[in-house]
Amino acid sequence: MPARLQHVNSRRWPAVAASGFVVAAVVYVLAVLTRAGQTIENAALRGADQDDVSETDAAWQALGEITVYSLAAAVVAVALVGVLRRRWDLAIAAVGVIVAGQAVVQVLKRFVLPRPALVEVTGDYAHNSLPSGHTTIAMTVLFAAVIVVPYRWRGVMLFFVLPWAVGIGQYTLTAKWHRLSDTLAADAIALSVAALASWWLARRGALERYEGPSRKPRSVLVVFWAFAGLVSLALGLFLWVVPLSREGLGADEWVIYLGGGSLASAGSLAAALVFLACWRRVH
């Protein structure tokens, strides 16, 4: 009999969940409650005006495909996978991740988190947009799929869903729908919600350790995404640290925007890889 995960280490899940909420809180404090944070992120939004029209159109198209109907279809799809596997617990956990993720971010964005007027802005720049609902949808759909899809098909699912989820976070900046902090906070909250759902499954004894041979193609993909995440992080930091250290808050807005896009991709990849690490050789 394979060892039950809860008998091995189920404490990883609450630790990951707590860490995600802490990261989201830190992002909010640094980016929203400081003058420097608001100035830099608003500069990135203005820098997006210089992006190629084709990139902006692609971003609007991708984000526009996320509607109430497509979200409902995603919920039905992950639930159906669980039902077909005769695993109602997985179906409940996967659907719960998507629904709870939206509930948390919408309540935080609309009713809880204020955006103080620390810099002079008008229009859409003045209202609070943290966390990003679109990024949360993309990441929770990814995490729900990891939970519900059979282990042998997880690599195939990741091949298609992970790049889409990461791209949505970056597209929110390109389309000027969200700031970098909105995306990073959404990544962290989605990870926390998914970790809590996984913890529930582990405590029920619903997860087992996979004892079969390792799947090389999946390992190659994960290594590739990890490398891509490190490159995106390094590039984003370089594009922010160098100009900001030289020119201060008046740094070139186009460069700040490019750095923000790289950091958004790095944040989404980091959240995805942390969740995958927790589910490594677990089904």
Side-chain angles (χ1 to χ4, degrees):
M1 290 285 291
R4 294 290 183 180
L5 181 61
Q6 71 176 105
H7 295 160
V8 177
N9 180 13
S10 64
R11 290 178 296 178
R12 71 182 73 178
W13 304 115
V16 170
S19 298
F21 286 126
V22 168
V23 168
V26 170
V27 167
Y28 172 72
V29 170
L30 294 179
V32 180
L33 301 186
T34 66
R35 178 181 177 84
Q38 289 194 15
T39 301
I40 293 171
E41 291 205 300
N42 289 341
L45 285 178
R46 292 190 294 269
D49 291 331
Q50 304 177 42
D51 207 350
D52 188 85
V53 174
S54 61
E55 290 293 325
T56 303
D57 289 344
W60 274 80
Q61 181 177 353
L63 296 174
E65 292 173 351
I66 299 178
T67 64
V68 173
Y69 302 106
S70 62
L71 178 59
V75 170
V76 171
V78 297
L80 185 60
V81 173
V83 171
L84 291 176
R85 294 183 63 190
R86 299 180 181 179
R87 293 294 306 272
W88 289 95
D89 51 354
L90 297 184
I92 292 171
V95 170
V97 168
I98 300 174
V99 174
Q102 278 304 295
V104 171
V105 299
Q106 295 302 331
V107 168
L108 288 175
K109 178 165 58 177
R110 299 176 185 276
F111 305 109
V112 177
L113 301 179
R115 184 177 183 85
L118 303 181
V119 297
E120 185 175 350
V121 293
T122 58
D124 292 339
Y125 287 17
H127 75 278
N128 177 57
S129 55
L130 183 150
S132 165
H134 280 73
T135 302
T136 303
I137 289 174
M139 297 302 292
T140 52
V141 167
L142 170 64
F143 296 151
V146 171
I147 290 173
V148 80
V149 168
Y151 186 84
R152 62 182 178 276
W153 292 105
R154 190 178 297 169
V156 176
M157 179 276 298
L158 291 172
F159 181 82
F160 292 101
V161 181
L162 194 150
W164 167 78
V166 172
I168 289 298
Q170 202 261 337
Y171 275 152
T172 61
L173 274 70
T174 301
K176 298 179 63 174
W177 288 21
H178 284 285
R179 303 170 176 86
L180 171 62
S181 59
D182 305 344
T183 297
L184 296 180
D187 290 331
I189 291 173
L191 176 62
S192 294
V193 172
L196 290 175
S198 302
W199 187 33
W200 176 72
L201 289 171
R203 290 183 62 84
R204 285 174 52 87
L207 305 180
E208 297 178 352
R209 191 181 293 279
Y210 174 75
E211 302 293 352
S214 61
R215 299 179 179 269
K216 301 298 183 184
R218 184 187 304 173
S219 299
V220 171
L221 284 176
V222 172
V223 170
F224 170 78
W225 287 321
F227 178 75
L230 289 174
V231 171
S232 296
L233 176 62
L235 180 60
L237 291 176
F238 176 80
L239 291 174
W240 273 28
V241 172
V242 173
L244 288 173
S245 61
R246 291 179 177 177
E247 306 169 37
L249 298 180
D252 186 276
E253 294 172 347
W254 169 247
V255 175
I256 297 301
Y257 159 70
L258 292 177
S262 293
L263 292 173
S265 297
S268 296
L269 280 169
L273 291 171
V274 168
F275 193 67
L276 287 176
C278 291
W279 274 81
R280 181 176 179 271
R281 300 187 70 82
V282 172
H283 69 91

